[in-house]
């Protein structure tokens, strides 16, 4: 089997990608502060922000393809530590694209819907990025820098994701379930819209992207929904009253990073390539059935 290198193996998305890819690839994963063991995959510990270490790891493995999911993906952390997070989110991504260029292998990058300012959704791949926070800026710089050093890089813009957290990653869904069941009552925005997908669907989309030609692909879900509406669906599936959720607006909760109001993605391009995530409620029913047992 050919070798696939997945960065961010200990993260939410990387863990899903590795499990999805193992059927068809000899998978190598990179993690850093959370060493994980994934049966059937080879996991290495490397700081990708240190170029000599990244290069050595890459040359030791000599992968046939790369899916790059490692990042500091919390916008508030990026806002508070722009230099440190830029080294990972932007510079390391560009270095990795350079290594893929030298090896002439497919390179898939995980970007974000937060490259947009949220005032003109739904966004297609032809819309111009205009981020409102450091995290979005770092991803735009990575997209452009990776394209410069390796035009064959496939940029996948992902929406809010939910699902099984894997062995160590934090996940929005689990904290929401805990808050709905044990309190404190969750406060969710009625004026922040996304097109969420499950980690499994995202992993499937990234595998499609590995075979893709287009430079940019949006991997959004079928429904544009507010965080509050998403919470209501979770409450419905759990059998918890919707009144457990406190609705609020973005302006009611201060955070270091500014948040765009509506970054729903138009994903027709990916849909035409076979990316068809199920409705959110179906995904949740499947996931929460697993959670209950
Ligand atoms: N989660 C979402 O809703 C969402 C939405 C849109 C886009 N995205 C994008 O999707 C991708 C995956 O996000 P995620 O939620 O899976 O993130 P995550 O759970 O926070 O995982 C991040 C991963 O990056 C690794 N990492 C961070 N710094 C590293 C370094 N210097 N060297 C090596 N590895 C490093 C972490 O390893 P250790 O923990 O072992 O240090 C971890 O495996 C990211 O590109 C993110 O921007 C995520």
């Amino acid at each position: 089997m050919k070798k696939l290198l997945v960065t961010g193996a200990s993260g939410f998305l990387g863990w899903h990608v590795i499990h999805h890819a193992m059927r068809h690839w000899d998978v190598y994963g990179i993690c850093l502060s959370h060493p994980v063991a994934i049966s059937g995959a080879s996991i290495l510990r490397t700081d990708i922000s240190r170029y000599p270490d990244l290069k050595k790891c890459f040359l030791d493995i000599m992968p046939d393809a790369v899916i790059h999911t490692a990042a500091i993906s919390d916008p508030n952390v990026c806002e508070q530590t722009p230099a440190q997070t830029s080294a990972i989110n932007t510079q390391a991504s560009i270095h990795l694209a350079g290594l893929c260029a030298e090896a002439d292998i497919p390179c898939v990058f995980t970007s974000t819907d937060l490259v947009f300012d949220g005032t003109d959704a739904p966004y297609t791949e032809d819309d111009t990025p205009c981020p409102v926070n450091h995290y979005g800026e770092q991803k735009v710089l990575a997209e452009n820098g990776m394209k410069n050093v390796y035009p064959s890089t496939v940029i996948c813009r992902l929406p809010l994701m939910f699902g099984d957290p894997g062995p160590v990653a934090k996940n929005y869904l689990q904290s929401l379930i805990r808050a709905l069941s044990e309190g404190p009552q969750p406060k969710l925005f009625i004026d922040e819209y996304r097109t969420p997908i499950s980690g499994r669907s995202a992993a499937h989309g990234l595998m499609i992207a590995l075979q893709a030609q287009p430079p940019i692909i949006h991997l959004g879900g079928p429904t544009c929904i507010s965080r509050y509406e998403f919470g209501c669906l979770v409450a419905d599936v759990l059998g918890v009253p919707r009144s457990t959720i406190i609705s609020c607006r973005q302006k009611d909760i201060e955070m270091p990073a500014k948040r765009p109001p509506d970054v729903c993605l138009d994903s027709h391009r990916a849909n035409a390539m076979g990316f068809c995530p199920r409705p959110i409620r179906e995904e949740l029913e499947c996931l929460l059935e697993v959670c209950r047992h």
Side-chain angles (χ1 to χ4, degrees), residues 3-291:
K3 294 185 213 169
L4 175 67
L5 173 60
V6 181
T7 66
S10 48
F12 170 73
L13 182 57
W15 187 82
H16 280 87
V17 170
I18 287 178
H19 281 85
H20 200 91
M22 276 195 298
R23 290 171 229 161
H24 302 292
W25 295 82
D26 182 10
V27 182
Y28 290 76
I30 293 181
C31 61
L32 182 60
S33 47
H34 298 98
V36 285
I38 302 179
S39 172
S42 311
I43 308 295
L44 300 102
R45 219 172 153 184
T46 302
D47 184 347
I48 63 162
S49 67
R50 295 166 59 95
Y51 182 61
D53 296 0
L54 173 65
K55 185 172 180 181
K56 179 174 186 318
C57 180
F58 187 96
L59 294 178
D60 284 349
I61 298 167
M62 283 305 285
D64 297 291
V66 170
I67 298 182
H68 176 37
T69 78
I72 303 300
S73 58
D74 182 335
N76 292 328
V77 175
C78 295
E79 209 64 21
Q80 290 168 317
T81 53
Q84 294 94 314
T85 51
S86 169
I88 296 155
N89 290 348
T90 304
Q91 280 90 39
S93 302
I94 297 170
H95 285 147
L96 190 54
L99 291 167
C100 291
E102 281 167 27
D104 192 21
I105 58 168
C107 174
V108 170
F109 175 54
T110 54
S111 188
T112 169
D113 51 6
L114 295 178
V115 298
F116 297 113
D117 70 1
T119 58
D120 196 18
Y123 290 99
T124 74
E125 291 84 352
D126 298 326
D127 288 313
T128 307
C130 38
V132 299
N133 55 39
H134 279 300
Y135 171 63
E137 272 168 23
Q138 291 169 356
K139 288 290 189 173
V140 173
L141 291 172
E143 288 186 3
N144 295 338
M146 292 176 86
K147 281 285 174 200
N148 275 341
V149 299
Y150 191 31
S152 300
T153 304
V154 177
I155 309 288
C156 291
R157 296 205 184 111
L158 291 152
L160 180 67
M161 289 182 279
F162 58 91
D164 187 327
V168 290
K170 288 190 193 130
N171 181 247
Y172 170 65
L173 181 62
Q174 274 64 41
S175 46
L176 181 56
I177 292 170
R178 203 167 34 251
L180 283 168
S181 333
E182 301 163 19
Q185 282 180 272
K187 292 182 183 170
L188 299 179
F189 300 130
I190 55 170
D191 57 353
E192 184 176 306
Y193 286 83
R194 312 288 287 268
T195 32
I197 56 171
S198 69
R200 284 183 212 174
S201 292
H204 178 235
L206 293 172
M207 298 313 293
I208 292 174
L210 262 187
Q211 324 289 334
Q213 296 302 324
I216 303 175
I217 305 174
H218 286 180
L219 295 177
T223 315
C224 182
I225 189 171
S226 71
R227 287 209 182 236
Y228 173 78
E229 290 162 338
F230 181 84
C232 287
L233 281 181
V234 177
D236 292 350
V237 173
L238 288 174
V240 174
R242 286 182 170 204
S243 54
T244 311
I245 303 170
I246 301 170
S247 64
C248 67
R249 293 184 178 275
Q250 285 183 332
K251 67 172 171 51
D252 299 329
I253 299 181
E254 260 190 46
M255 279 185 254
K258 199 174 165 205
R259 307 173 72 93
D262 181 348
V263 287
C264 288
L265 297 175
D266 177 326
S267 302
H268 281 95
R269 181 178 284 176
N271 298 153
M273 296 166 67
F275 173 69
C276 295
R278 288 182 298 179
I280 298 169
R281 188 179 171 116
E282 268 180 44
E283 293 266 31
L284 286 172
E285 281 169 350
C286 175
L287 276 164
L288 298 183
E289 192 55 32
V290 174
C291 291

